[in-house]
Amino acid sequence: MSKQADRKPLWDRLKALPQPTLTELFGADEARVEKLSQRLDFDLGELGQVGMLLDWSKTHLDDDALAVFEELTDRAGFDASREALFSGGIVNPTEGRAATHGAMRGSGTEADVEEAEALLARMGMLVEAVHQGAFGDINHLIHIGIGGSALGPDLAVDALTRDLKLVDVHVVSNIDGLALEQAFAACNPATTMIAVASKTFTTTETMTNAASALKWLGDNGVDDPSGRVIALTANPEGAVEWGVDETRILPFPESVGGRYSLWSSIGFPVALAVGMEDFSAMLAGAQAIDTHFREAEGRANGPLLAAFADLYYTRIRGCQTRAVFAYDERLALLPDYLQQLEMESNGKGVTAGGEPVDQPTAPITWGGVGTDAQHAVFQLLHQGTHLIPVDFIASIAPGDELDPAHHRGLLMNCLAQGAALMAGKAADDPARSYPGDRPSATILLDDCDAATFGALIAFHEHRTFASAVLMGINPFDQFGVELGKAMAKSIGSGEGAFDASTIALMKVAGLRA
């Protein structure tokens, strides 16, 4: 019997359960909020504290569904998979690799953690050297990468430097020259460093942008442009061949995947912008979530409970999307980050063993920032024909120093939207009627500081991993991104056979005679 067939009876049981409304669920269980809410508090000593409230009570999970999901957890071998993740086991079977991003923040085997500590100490020394003027006056960093090499750093820098930045960081990912020119316009070449972030040091977009950035430095009077380059890579030999001195190469292990690499030297721009103390606090917050994820069982495990809800809506209710709205300007880039984390990890059509999946996998992740999104997409959420589970994320402590009415209004709107989606409102006029019974979850952070930010990101990493284990898929490969890149190279070389539409488009675009 295949693993999918072994789990099918449990999925069938979930589908056969009654589906009461949210209002009915609350009415039937006075302890519902207590059962489906969880307070996580971690004391990190000198690095600060993490506090967050996770509330999944406005989802359609109930005791019966949770009991089946916990059986599914056992049937799927979740405990063994979780142990393999932290013990250096092969959790990426298609590439025969471990996934050791946890070790970068202290959660892994002794050998992996020791290697991570040495690599991060090396990064810390380089960060300190830049701050102390070893490279002259450095006020700007242009960080060049794409995918996980850009999305995580961009989010973290934007979230953590609203009140103070030691170096002004510009993250450039798109091969569109306008993106790089915009960064050039904001920087003085005499006081600018370049970070080139590429796991393989062969990524076309990144290396094209890097070459243009070096030319920009040289054209603007910098005597040794390559001396201003920091390489962040799992292929240090490739960086040396490209011309980066080995003293300015910050390696990270091959077993750290791109979308999980914020904790490694890919986080160099974050450390340069906020300092190593805050970077260390970010790691510590993430490690605290690692410990919770490793030790808590069943529905008491925050990321696992979130995965239960995600799978309930995708596989039981047939939801094709999940929306994330950050009611905090500091987390404006979080939906973009989660799109890659969740869809590149779990947007798979085969199991970890290579069988075609028999049910949906990752939903489409999308979202925005509150309250802006309320005036753009919430019409569909409240009255449209799609059932879309929503995550609301907010910070109790404000990020601004203006009149408290600003932040109070932000939180009021955040909480009101979840309540309105659930309650709905009947009206004689159908156009003014709200059906209600629309699910949401709320994550309330005590603050959006470095430690709590790290905990929030690690929470979503483990949520994604837990979903993958329960679906029996591999969240650590991404072969789906390769075909389009290969065909782009074929267009560039003039080789390869293409359909008539693509050939016609190439001619109009000037890519083929």
Side-chain angles (χ1 to χ4, degrees), residues 304-340:
L304 183 58
L305 178 62
F308 290 166
D310 294 342
L311 292 171
Y312 177 83
Y313 287 111
T314 303
R315 293 198 157 186
I316 309 307
R317 293 293 186 99
C319 299
Q320 296 183 333
T321 80
R322 183 175 77 84
V324 180
F325 297 101
Y327 276 70
D328 194 303
E329 195 69 25
R330 292 168 291 184
L331 298 175
L333 299 179
L334 181 62
D336 291 349
Y337 173 83
L338 292 179
Q339 282 183 333
Q340 188 204 20

Side-chain angles (χ1 to χ4, degrees), residues 45-69:
E46 294 181 355
L47 293 175
Q49 295 182 327
V50 171
M52 61 174 66
L53 175 68
L54 314 173
D55 181 2
W56 258 255
S57 64
K58 291 190 188 73
T59 70
H60 290 87
L61 293 176
D62 60 13
D63 288 336
D64 291 338
L66 289 170
V68 181
F69 270 117

Side-chain angles (χ1 to χ4, degrees), residues 468-505:
V469 172
L470 297 183
M471 292 187 289
I473 62 177
N474 177 6
F476 297 116
D477 64 10
Q478 57 279 329
F479 295 111
V481 307
E482 298 300 329
L483 178 59
K485 292 195 293 185
M487 293 182 77
K489 291 180 180 178
S490 294
I491 290 175
S493 66
E495 301 173 352
F498 291 91
D499 61 88
S501 170
T502 302
I503 291 172
L505 292 169

